Amino acid sequence: WKFIKMKMPQTVAGSGLFAAGIIFSFMYGSVKYVLTGEGAGSLFKIDEKSGDIHATKRLDREEKAYYILHAKAVNRFTNEALEGESEFIIKIHDINDNEPRFTKDPYMARVPEMSDIGTSVIQVTATDADDATYGNSAKVVYSILEGQPYFSVDPETGLIKTALPGMDREVKENYQVVIQAKDMAGQMGGLSGTTTVSITLSDVNDNPPRFTKTLYEFRVPESNEVGSSVGVIRAMDADIGQNAEMDYRIIGSDGPGMFDITTNRSTQDGIIVLRKPLDFERKRQYSLRVQVENSHINPRFYSMGPFRDEATIKIVVEDVDEPPEFERASYVMEVKEDAAKNTVIGSVSASDPDDKNSLVRYSIDRRTDMDRVFNIHAGNGSVFILRELDREENAWHNISVIATEFSKYNPRQISRVPVYIRVLDVNDNAPTFATNYETFVCENAKANQRIQTISATDPDEPLAGHRFFFGLAQDAAGKANFSVRDNKDNTAGILTRRNSYSSLQKSVYHVPVVISDGEFPMQSSTNTLTIRVCTCDREGNMKLCNAEALTARAGLSTGALVAILLCVIILLMIVVLFAALRRQRKKEPLIISKEDVRDNVVSYNDEGGGEEDTQAFDIGTLRNPEAIEESKQRRDIVPETFYPPVRRPVLPPTRDNNGDVRDFINQRLQDNDSDPTAPPYDSLATYAYEGNGSVAESLSSLESVTTEGDQDYNYLSEWGPRFKKLADMYGGDDSDRDS
């Protein structure tokens, strides 16, 4: 068994049958064959009785070239292995069942035009899935089906080459080439595949530029601005892209420098540009010779002729009405700041460039001279001043002068020129202190001790620079307590002239310092330096000074102190007003009950002193009728014309004191009864307020909840003589009252 198994073939072709059995197996009906491995049960099956292996499907070598299977014999009844497992390798033999396939379809390629024969274009590649080691099934041969006679292909490598010289892109640019790949080395019966190769001829510079005309003519007004375009010319080139780029230049002109030509890179046009102003009166026509040439020339094609062309350009200048022209582009004038009014400081000049040569009128653009400091003569252009000048206020004045034709005014035909006027300095200002100097001197100062360094300033600007001189005023030089030392560098030092100073004798010194300059005419001014006497320590540091000095050193001026004081007063007034309002809100109302009538309320805050009070009022006033004032009308009464007041005759005085009072009361009662503006008789007047601060409190018995016998009136005797009568009436014992 084992010998036979080892001698058995192990390969089968296609779906062939392989018998794997054991000789004399028919003698043993209990043997069963089992198959395992790749494709067992799906692609391959084994006859369990005979051991024959069959393929159930068509096998594809390109999908899988071989399969590894395992077979063994087992007892049909016990499934016990009768021998060890055997391995079978089934190899699939290749047949030519796959055609060649190209890696791309289509191919895109470019080759320069005018290329030589045999120039490589592109290489195509086709693959065959068949077995290259078995026969010629995978051997591919290339051939060209379309594209002849322009291109050829190498049959083995698939390299496409040019086959025709002088292919011109301008004649034909695109070519379609069909390539075939065939297996079986190209023999009959082989399979084939095709692909398309799109070949484009790339451009080379093999064509020169050419002008469409030999003569160009342009007309341009003389008013055209410098830098503007005069005209456009164009040369044609059959090439494209970089090979069609060209450069224009002027190779001849009867007006050198008047024109220039540039190339528009997007359109390859030549643009003629004006470089100098045109003047119809000077020259009316220009002639230019222009050349165009390719920017990138291929040396291979020099033999095809010069890659340039030439043309003539005629430019005609047209006349226009021009504004006057100034002789200069700008003017600079100088004038001293002390110049008198109407002083001429310079002039401008302009002329009409036209043939008629009209007269010119001059004026100043007032937008540049709002203060009307200058003016100009309309006929001759002389500039003069109208106001006094001050260099320190404005050192330069920039104005614009306008020139127009006298005959007519056209806002579009005006010329402007800037005029720069410099105001020259004269020594008209005196030097002063650079700042408000204020310092102090110690009581224990030594003589010739420097206490302050001062400097000066002057708005004038002399050419040689400032030079200031310092000194004491003549009227103070003899009795001065301080001296001034000029440092020769536009500064000076303030020195003491004695060994000590006393703040009790004099606390503040005012030192007059005279400052003069060295210019002509010399200018000088007297400035005052304030020096305060203070107590200092040994090192010269201030320890104690008068209140004024301290305030000054603290930096608080009189105005600041006044402002602070006003703020404090306003705050106090606000606090007092707020407290008064809160106190008024806390007062109790006069009438608490909601049913009380509040129309007429009369308050009596004065309490009588009793019968013995002879100082509270003068009874003589009641006795004297002449002292009685006339009845006064209220503010809301009707005018006297409608209700005249009733006057009563004056009663003669009598000796009866009680009669006088009774008559006075009766007279007032009559007056009130006859007064039409008085309240009606049935009006209710409520007197429910007795005032504040009464020591006796309320004397009314209406609010008392006790009986008369429950009250103790002994305290009335303590209230003074005004309440003595009441104390005698109510302050006694019960026995006294009964009696």
Side-chain angles (χ1 to χ4, degrees), residues 138-210:
K139 188 175 183 180
V140 179
V141 175
Y142 300 95
S143 61
I144 184 169
L145 300 181
E146 295 181 13
Q148 297 171 333
Y150 305 103
F151 301 95
S152 62
V153 62
D154 189 297
E156 294 183 358
T157 62
L159 180 62
I160 301 176
K161 302 178 181 179
T162 58
L164 192 66
M167 287 189 294
D168 194 353
R169 185 200 65 84
E170 288 73 31
V171 177
K172 186 177 181 180
E173 183 176 4
N174 297 312
Y175 295 86
Q176 298 293 327
V177 179
V178 178
I179 302 297
Q180 175 184 266
K182 190 174 183 180
D183 59 10
M184 297 298 292
Q187 298 176 4
M188 294 294 295
L191 302 178
S192 64
T194 59
T195 186
T196 301
V197 182
S198 179
I199 301 175
T200 302
L201 297 182
S202 59
D203 185 56
V204 296
N205 191 9
D206 58 342
N207 294 282
R210 291 289 181 263

Side-chain angles (χ1 to χ4, degrees), residues 619 622-623 656-666:
I619 193 65
L622 298 177
R623 295 176 180 176
D656 189 2
N657 293 340
N658 295 333
D660 293 341
V661 174
R662 182 173 57 253
D663 293 340
F664 173 77
I665 293 174
N666 290 334

Side-chain angles (χ1 to χ4, degrees), residues 600 632-638 675 677-679:
N600 299 286
K632 296 182 180 180
Q633 297 180 353
R634 291 171 12 184
R635 294 182 180 180
D636 56 345
I637 64 175
V638 182
D675 187 4
T677 62

Side-chain angles (χ1 to χ4, degrees), residues 370-606:
M370 302 293 291
D371 297 333
R372 294 184 176 270
V373 181
F374 304 95
N375 203 357
I376 190 171
H377 192 280
N380 58 23
S382 299
V383 180
F384 55 92
I385 59 177
L386 296 177
R387 295 172 51 186
E388 294 181 355
L389 302 176
D390 188 356
R391 189 203 63 82
E392 288 73 31
E393 180 181 351
N394 197 349
W396 283 89
H397 296 269
N398 302 332
I399 63 175
S400 293
V401 175
I402 300 174
T404 59
E405 295 182 7
F406 251 111
S407 58
K408 61 180 178 179
Y409 176 76
N410 186 355
R412 297 183 179 180
Q413 299 295 326
I414 63 175
S415 296
R416 299 175 182 269
V417 66
V419 179
Y420 306 103
I421 302 174
R422 179 185 179 185
V423 182
L424 301 178
D425 184 37
V426 296
N427 193 29
D428 58 347
N429 293 282
T432 59
F433 275 160
T435 183
N436 293 326
Y437 290 103
E438 185 172 347
T439 185
F440 70 94
V441 63
C442 296
E443 292 183 341
N444 56 355
K446 303 298 182 181
N448 294 325
Q449 179 180 345
R450 182 188 298 271
I451 60 174
Q452 180 69 40
T453 299
I454 59 176
S455 61
T457 182
D458 191 341
D460 293 329
E461 294 182 359
L463 297 178
H466 290 294
R467 176 65 180 95
F468 300 125
F469 301 92
F470 300 86
L472 285 175
Q474 293 182 359
D475 54 352
K479 55 181 180 179
N481 294 286
F482 301 90
S483 62
V484 178
R485 177 182 295 174
D486 196 333
N487 297 329
K488 308 300 182 181
D489 59 353
N490 293 337
T491 63
I494 306 300
L495 308 178
T496 59
R497 298 190 63 178
R498 59 186 188 181
N499 289 327
S500 63
Y501 295 86
S502 176
S503 60
L504 299 179
Q505 296 178 358
K506 191 172 184 179
S507 61
V508 179
Y509 291 89
H510 298 285
V511 180
V513 179
V514 177
I515 307 175
S516 59
D517 56 21
E519 300 298 320
F520 180 81
M522 180 178 292
Q523 301 288 341
S524 64
S525 66
T526 301
N527 302 263
T528 301
L529 172 65
T530 302
I531 303 176
R532 306 185 185 279
V533 181
C534 302
T535 302
C536 305
D537 55 16
R538 294 181 178 180
E539 288 75 16
N541 300 320
M542 184 183 67
K543 295 175 57 179
L544 180 64
C545 208
N546 56 56
E548 184 178 2
L550 291 176
T551 303
R553 293 182 65 86
L556 295 177
S557 62
T558 304
L561 294 175
V562 172
I564 294 174
L565 183 60
L566 289 176
C567 293
V568 173
I569 294 174
I570 292 173
L571 290 176
L572 291 176
M573 293 177 63
I574 293 174
V575 172
V576 172
L577 180 61
F578 181 76
L581 291 176
R582 293 195 60 182
R583 184 176 180 183
Q584 184 176 1
R585 291 178 182 176
K586 292 181 179 180
K587 290 184 177 180
E588 296 179 359
L590 298 178
I591 303 175
I592 300 177
S593 175
K594 296 182 180 179
E595 298 179 357
D596 291 340
V597 179
R598 300 172 181 266
D599 294 338
N600 299 286
V601 178
V602 180
S603 299
Y604 294 90
N605 296 331
D606 191 11

Side-chain angles (χ1 to χ4, degrees), residues 56-100:
T56 61
K57 297 180 181 179
R58 182 181 177 86
L59 302 178
D60 190 356
R61 190 203 66 84
E62 287 73 33
E63 182 178 350
K64 191 171 181 61
Y66 62 92
Y67 296 87
I68 300 176
L69 299 175
H70 298 85
K72 64 181 178 178
V74 299
N75 189 296
R76 183 181 300 274
F77 303 104
T78 63
N79 286 330
E80 293 181 359
L82 300 178
E83 67 168 5
E85 188 177 69
S86 299
E87 183 180 273
F88 297 87
I89 299 176
I90 301 177
K91 292 184 178 180
I92 310 302
H93 285 200
D94 184 36
I95 63 173
N96 189 18
D97 59 345
N98 292 281
E99 71 277 3

